[in-house]
Amino acid sequence: MQPIPTIGVLALQGDYESHARALEQVNAQPKMVRTAAELEQVDGLIIPGGESTTFLKLLEREGLFAPLEEFARTRPTFGTCAGCILLAKRVTHPEQQSLGALDATVERNAYGRQIDSQIVTGATSLPGGPLEMVFIRAPRLIELGSGVEVLATRDGSPVLVRQKNILAATFHPELSHSDSSSESDSPDDLERNPDRRVHRYFAQMVRDALPESGEGKSSAQRDPIRQSR
Ligand code: GLN
């Protein structure tokens, strides 16, 4: 049986609830992370979208910047949109501080102000064919180090990348849907058929990083399995 990892979702701002739901759907146990002590208890972490400048202020205020920097050096960490900006080594437009875990340059708000949000279907190497991607005031990955693998593209540009323990998306994978078997026109996203391939991929990264025995690891990881869909 596959182990059930405990995956933290940084819950300072942004759509952390949707990420938590997505994690349950891929057989992971979500845990909201707001403090350094909570960060200690998780096997991997998602940094959601939001506003990266606000994140920086909140991380500083909560004393979370340094612990997060340390976590992202070695532990599975997935940044989406503003989270991707926080993980990148270099940020432009304008320059700002970051955790420096992903060897990439990211340009903020790269698609212009007039395009607030966009839904695009792009190519991916994840199994299952093209992926629906929701971009919201999205950044663009404009330079990647040689150790960075591209997992999905939009018009030929990288939008989902991995470097060892780091996964980063410039879009919002918690909002992706597959069109197959989506019959309703409901405005409620939850009524549609969510596409959880990106969260599934990250959950597997976290599982692969779990120590064999679990000794010396977070106790959360060994907690009795709670309900998972
Ligand atoms: N534009 C935001 C920033 O620069 C990111 C937007 C998002 O996370 N959806 O931080």
Side-chain angles (χ1 to χ4, degrees):
M1 208 184 69
Q2 280 198 323
I4 301 204
T6 299
I7 302 185
V9 185
L10 187 66
L12 299 179
Q13 63 147 1
D15 201 2
Y16 45 83
E17 296 283 357
S18 297
H19 282 288
R21 273 196 302 275
L23 287 171
E24 284 172 356
Q25 290 163 353
V26 297
N27 229 5
Q29 176 66 59
K31 177 178 172 62
M32 298 306 178
V33 168
R34 296 186 177 88
T35 63
E38 285 165 344
L39 187 59
E40 287 288 306
Q41 295 163 18
V42 298
D43 303 310
L45 181 76
I46 294 181
I47 307 178
E51 194 57 43
S52 55
T53 48
T54 309
F55 264 123
L56 285 171
K57 281 185 201 136
L58 294 172
L59 289 177
E60 214 51 71
R61 196 184 72 188
E62 304 300 323
L64 259 175
F65 189 90
L68 209 53
E69 203 175 20
E70 178 60 26
F71 188 94
R73 265 187 341 107
T74 55
R75 316 286 298 280
T77 308
F78 179 21
T80 69
C81 206
C84 169
I85 297 169
L86 286 179
L87 287 177
K89 274 203 172 125
R90 299 164 295 274
V91 181
T92 64
H93 195 224
E95 281 186 19
Q96 67 187 31
Q97 195 189 10
S98 65
L99 299 166
L102 173 69
D103 188 8
T105 304
V106 72
E107 181 189 348
R108 293 181 59 207
N109 300 312
Y111 296 91
R113 285 195 174 181
Q114 64 280 25
I115 307 171
D116 225 35
S117 79
Q118 246 183 338
I119 303 178
V120 173
T121 300
T124 179
S125 58
L126 300 184
L131 177 68
E132 181 190 271
M133 306 161 183
V134 180
F135 293 87
I136 305 171
R137 286 173 286 106
R140 198 198 301 259
L141 288 159
I142 52 175
E143 261 172 20
L144 297 180
S146 56
V148 181
E149 182 190 0
V150 177
L151 299 175
T153 54
R154 167 186 181 173
D155 300 330
S157 302
V159 291
L160 176 66
V161 299
R162 175 175 180 180
Q163 182 186 13
K164 294 187 187 142
N165 59 308
I166 300 293
L167 186 67
T170 59
F171 59 97
H172 283 252
E174 76 281 12
L175 301 178
S176 292
H177 292 87
S178 57
D179 44 18
S180 60
S181 80
S182 168
E183 279 157 24
S184 86
D185 292 326
S186 165
D188 183 351
D189 276 345
L190 295 174
E191 296 299 315
R192 295 176 59 214
N193 194 27
D195 186 335
R196 294 295 173 230
R197 279 180 285 163
V198 180
H199 285 83
R200 189 168 297 119
Y201 181 89
F202 182 62
Q204 192 55 46
M205 273 175 68
V206 179
R207 268 185 216 108
D208 291 344
L210 292 175
E212 299 284 308
S213 67
E215 272 171 46
K217 276 290 297 184
S218 67
S219 56
Q221 183 192 322
R222 302 291 141 197
D223 270 356
I225 295 157
R226 277 185 245 161
Q227 211 184 350
S228 56
R229 275 171 273 164

